[in-house]
Amino acid sequence: MQLHYYPSNASMAPHLVLEEIGAPYELVRVERTLNAHKSAAYLALNPNGLIPVLVDGDLVLYETAAICLHLADTHPSAALAPAFGTPARAHFYKWLMWLTNTLQSSLIVYFYPERWADTPEAIAQVKAHAEAKIDGLLDQLDTELARVDGQWFMGASFSVLDAYVLTLCRWTRGFGRPARSLAQLGPYLQRVLARPAAQRVFEREGLKPPYL
Ligand SMILES: N[C@@H](CCC(=O)N[C@@H](CS)C(=O)NCC(=O)O)C(=O)O
């Protein structure tokens, strides 16, 4: 397998999943600073020009959540998702979709407000609205963590969701109220970060503290 990645991008979620699984894979750095994600070669892999892409044999897959699910499904012994057809699996799908289509998409508005407005004032307003929305979304994660029984997002078992939550919460480290400052999220993120797989990912992506 090959994971096309850029440090600290959405690719970190499948990178964490690959390290948790322990299967062999190759990291292919997509040089964003040179716009390599908009090159013809990369667009042939992902016509959206977005990171990540996973190549698994003949399969070329984009969309972070789909890649994470595929990795969990093809490596069942790693137990990174609840059993098919169970209520836990249904909630797992719900949170995975929410992470990608609600939290991640709001974060992308926050980081690229100039795509949504023209004047400096309007751009600042888009950014402020995105941060306010994300603030409430972080509260939702915190409330869920207070509800579940266990140290991981799904309870007793570490899952793909933990990799995804860490990746997205890290992006809030420059916020007025970052994820690490919330009562449940703060210690939870430290637990995910302390896993040997997470330590290897931060090392391999060349990331330096502060991690959260
Ligand atoms: N829905 C996509 C979004 C991926 C995405 O937005 N990736 C960012 C990096 S975190 C990217 O490639 N941005 C480049 C751009 O927007 O031009 C996914 O989850 O894979």
Side-chain angles (χ1 to χ4, degrees):
M1 290 183 285
Q2 285 183 327
L3 179 66
H4 294 251
Y5 88 109
Y6 190 77
S8 197
N9 278 199
S11 44
M12 183 184 268
H15 192 185
L16 287 160
V17 171
L18 282 163
E19 280 294 333
E20 290 285 347
I21 287 169
Y25 68 95
E26 184 191 341
L27 274 182
V28 181
R29 186 179 167 115
V30 183
E31 203 41 76
R32 282 193 65 171
T33 51
L34 302 176
N35 244 13
H37 54 309
K38 308 297 180 195
S39 68
Y42 192 79
L43 290 173
L45 299 175
N46 182 352
N48 301 291
L50 297 172
I51 297 164
V53 164
L54 180 81
V55 180
D56 182 2
D58 291 337
L59 175 72
V60 178
L61 194 61
Y62 54 85
E63 286 301 324
T64 308
I67 293 171
C68 290
L69 261 183
H70 168 72
L71 289 171
D73 290 351
T74 49
H75 299 86
S77 60
L80 291 173
F84 287 104
T86 59
R89 182 82 179 196
H91 287 296
F92 168 83
Y93 287 141
K94 174 192 74 183
W95 280 111
L96 191 59
M97 303 310 150
W98 183 90
L99 286 168
T100 186
N101 72 21
T102 305
L103 180 55
Q104 185 179 347
S105 61
S106 302
L107 283 160
I108 288 171
V109 174
Y110 174 87
F111 285 110
Y112 303 100
E114 68 285 354
R115 293 178 179 173
W116 300 93
D118 294 323
T119 65
E121 296 74 26
I123 289 170
Q125 209 173 17
V126 168
K127 200 170 178 72
H129 279 279
E131 184 166 355
K133 179 175 179 195
I134 293 160
D135 208 46
L137 301 178
L138 294 179
D139 283 329
Q140 273 183 256
L141 287 178
D142 208 60
T143 302
E144 178 63 7
L145 285 169
R147 196 194 62 77
V148 295
D149 184 14
Q151 54 181 339
W152 309 117
F153 200 81
M154 291 299 295
S157 295
F158 184 90
S159 77
V160 154
L161 297 182
D162 300 296
Y164 219 128
V165 172
L166 176 66
T167 300
L168 299 183
C169 283
R170 175 180 149 74
W171 296 355
T172 71
R173 66 195 182 282
F175 281 34
R177 182 173 170 263
R180 67 171 181 275
S181 68
L182 275 73
Q184 306 295 327
L185 263 178
Y188 159 81
L189 291 168
Q190 291 297 342
R191 286 195 292 278
V192 182
L193 189 61
R195 290 176 73 90
Q199 295 294 306
R200 290 194 296 274
V201 166
F202 278 72
E203 166 87 29
R204 290 195 72 184
E205 296 201 3
L207 300 171
K208 303 277 177 266
Y211 293 140
L212 291 171

